Structures are given as structure tokens and as C-alpha cells.
Amino acid sequence: MDSRAALPRLPGISASARQGAGNGSLSDLWHNTNQTQLLGVLLAVIGNFLISISLNIQKYAHLQLACQEDQKPYYTSKLWWCGISLMGLGELGNAAAYGFAPAALIAPLGCVSVIGSAFISVLFLKEVMRAGDILGGTLAIAGTYLLVTFAPHVTQELTATKIQNYLVSWQFLVYVILEIIIFCILLYAYKRKDVKHIVLLLVMVALLASLTVISVKAVAGMITYSAKGKMQLTYPVFYIMLIILVTSCVFQVKLLNQAMELYKATVVVPINFVFFTTSAILAGIIFYQEFQGAALLSVFMFLFGCLLSVLGVFVITRNREEEHLHVPYVDCGHIPGKKTIGNIQPDANSLSYGTLHGEDDWTSAQS
């Protein structure tokens, strides 16, 4: 009789992981998996929180520049570069998190940056706290708890050989062929037929994002495995995935910027979050087989956590921008440490700001 037949079926551990466990090793496997995934979750949460801080620092830098008599481009501000550096550090933490936890778990944790940005802006930029911020934050936190609790426990270590096998698996080949066909159709409609609908743009972003998630997890996983003394960076597949990562990121950012130019951030952010999260979960299921052997209840609760996080993001971002549309200037009195109030109107045709001295100037500017 196989000694592994008597091992208990612990929730969240995949069938392949249980088959690879020997007598007395399954509990150690469960413990090690939890520790590894917890590290990935912490990296993702800290990374997203740093991103939310960086966004507020960049906004504060723009407001400071708006209140200076000698107007300068934003990229000359040390504070702005500090914000950019924090964003890079946060994105690095996000990328590293994929090496320790499933992609299906790390991607939805992007809601942390939305929650953090909303609450930090209240403390740092003196923005008004809305009931929607509290409700949305509560929903997103509850969703995050469910995500972490019921996420699939994937114990596999990503070696170059495994990545190569995943790349030639039939389910991934079907998936990537369908992705290419859909992307080409949408790109044709966007470029040739001049279709600028937000769903079309953000679906293209999501299709590229799925490749980004697959490649960043592969790169991070191989680097993590190499750090344990088993070098994987000499395999060509590492550099192939690195090229896919950089290329998909570049075009993804380009399309996302075009969406931001055409539509308000309060519309783009929640829709992009939904599409990105969906594509990341699909990438984890199809390429990395992250939910293989998972219990039905765990899958349901995980998806319910995703739904709560999405609702939280929608509630936080809904009507946030519209509240400020009636104010034609930046109030310098809202900047911490500023005692004077000036009416500053950003100049749409340059990287600096102009000043409106009164409502009459604003009326004449509109006419």
C-alpha cells in the first residue's frame, strides 16, 4: 500500500503537490507554502502602498509648482522624482511578489494602491473624506482578506524546464492563438476603423497584461530559484520571457495612456482593474494551472473576494473627479505648509502653469 494514501487532504494544496509529498512531509509542505505565499502577499501589499504614496507625492509636486512665481517643468522638481522613484520601487516589489505567490492572488491585490491613494490624499493633500471612500475601502479590505485566505496554494518551483513545458502545452497554445487573433481584430478596428471605445482599448491592454503576468512570474520565479543556488539564468527561455515582459509592458503602457487621454481616470481605473485582474487569473489558471485540485468552495470564495475588491475600487473612484470639475483653479491653501491662497490655472499647451487673478479672467478665458 502506498504510504501517501493515508496522508490527509489539506485544503488549498493541489493534487500534484500532495502526490509529491512523502510520509510526514505534507504538514511541512503546507507550512512552507503558507510562509512563501505570505512573503509574496507582503511584497505586493507594500509595493502597492508605495505606489499610492508616490502618486500623492507627484500630485503634491505639481501643486507646489503651480504656486511658484517662476514656473518650471514638472521634471525639474526633486519631489516629483522622489515620487517616481517610489513608484519604481513599488513596481519592483510587485514583480518580486510573483516569484513567491500565485499570479491569481497577486494581481487583485492592486486594489491596495487605490485604497491607499484615497486615504493618503485625505491626510496629505487635505482632500475631503467621502462616505464612498470608507465603504469602498471596507469592501476592498474584506475582498483582500478572502483572496489571501482562499487563494490556491501552489508549491511548484519554477525552473526553466517547467517554463518550457508550459510554453508548449496545448492549453496555452490554444489560449495564446486566440489572444493573438482577438488582439489583431481589435487593433485593426482601432487603427483602421478609428474605433476609440474604452472597452476596446482596455481589452487590448488586458490581453497584453496576461502576457506580462505570465512572463513576470516566470522571470521572478527563475531568479528566485537561482538565488537558492540552482542557476536558471543561463537558459534561453529566461531571456525570451524577459523580452516578452519588456515588450508587453511598453505597449500596454502606451495603450493605457491613450485611454487616459480619451477618458477620465475615474472611468479608466476601475474598468482596467477588472480587466487586468480577470486576465491575470486566466493566465494563472491556463499557464500555471494554479487552481488544479482546488476545492470548489475555495474557488467560489476566492472569486467572491475578487468581486468585493472590484466593487470597492468602483465605489472609491466613482464621481471622485467630477467633484472637482467646477473648480477652475488649484487652491494653494490646500497644500500642507502653504498659508497663501492663489488661483492657479494649468496651461494645457505647456508644461508650466498660468495664473487667473479673478473670476472675470476665468470667464474671459472660457469665452
Side-chain angles (χ1 to χ4, degrees), residues 44-45 48-49 52 94 105-119 136-145 147 269 273 276-277 305-314 316-317:
V45 169
N48 282 300
F49 188 69
S52 64
N94 269 336
L105 172 59
I106 298 302
L109 292 179
C111 67
V112 173
S113 65
V114 180
I115 302 170
S117 183
F119 286 94
T138 303
L139 288 172
I141 291 171
T144 301
Y145 173 77
L147 288 171
V269 169
F273 178 74
F276 172 79
T277 303
C306 289
L307 178 61
L308 289 181
S309 298
V310 167
L311 288 176
V313 171
F314 267 97
I316 290 174
T317 56

Side-chain angles (χ1 to χ4, degrees), residues 174-353:
V174 172
Y175 175 71
V176 77
I177 289 172
L178 288 176
E179 265 208 351
I180 292 172
I181 293 173
I182 294 172
F183 186 84
C184 289
I185 293 172
L186 295 178
L187 188 63
Y188 175 79
Y190 177 63
K191 292 292 187 180
R192 297 294 184 181
K193 301 299 182 180
D194 201 32
V195 179
K196 306 292 184 182
H197 197 279
I198 187 171
V199 172
L200 182 144
L201 280 168
L202 294 184
V203 167
M204 286 196 292
V205 171
L207 292 174
L208 291 171
S210 67
L211 296 179
T212 303
V213 169
I214 289 171
S215 56
V216 73
K217 182 170 177 63
V219 170
M222 284 187 278
I223 291 176
T224 302
Y225 200 62
S226 298
K228 296 178 180 179
K230 300 178 181 179
M231 181 56 64
Q232 303 294 308
L233 308 187
T234 56
Y235 290 86
V237 69
F238 173 80
Y239 299 96
I240 292 173
M241 299 306 281
L242 187 61
I243 291 171
I244 293 175
L245 170 61
V246 174
T247 306
S248 61
C249 278
V250 169
F251 285 100
Q252 186 181 333
V253 170
K254 182 179 179 181
L255 288 170
L256 190 57
N257 283 333
Q258 291 174 1
M260 294 290 283
E261 290 175 4
L262 295 171
Y263 298 93
K264 297 173 184 176
T266 50
V267 177
V268 175
V269 169
I271 296 177
N272 183 60
F273 178 74
V274 173
F275 287 175
F276 172 79
T277 303
T278 304
S279 67
I281 292 174
L282 286 175
I285 292 173
I286 295 173
F287 190 83
Y288 293 106
Q289 303 170 16
E290 291 178 342
F291 282 92
Q292 186 177 15
L296 183 60
L297 178 61
S298 296
V299 175
F300 174 79
M301 295 303 293
F302 179 84
L303 295 177
F304 184 62
C306 289
L307 178 61
L308 289 181
S309 298
V310 167
L311 288 176
V313 171
F314 267 97
V315 171
I316 290 174
T317 56
R318 188 176 69 90
N319 297 329
R320 173 170 289 274
E321 189 173 287
E322 284 80 347
E323 292 178 356
H324 303 286
L325 290 180
H326 66 282
V327 182
Y329 55 84
V330 176
D331 186 354
C332 294
H334 284 173
I335 303 178
K338 289 286 185 180
K339 295 182 179 179
T340 59
I341 296 179
N343 297 345
I344 308 298
Q345 172 64 30
D347 187 352
N349 297 319
S350 72
L351 296 176
S352 61
Y353 297 79

Side-chain angles (χ1 to χ4, degrees), residues 28-43:
D28 294 335
L29 179 65
W30 171 262
H31 181 69
N32 293 335
T33 302
N34 275 349
Q35 284 188 331
T36 303
Q37 289 201 178
L38 181 59
L39 177 59
V41 169
L42 288 176
L43 284 172

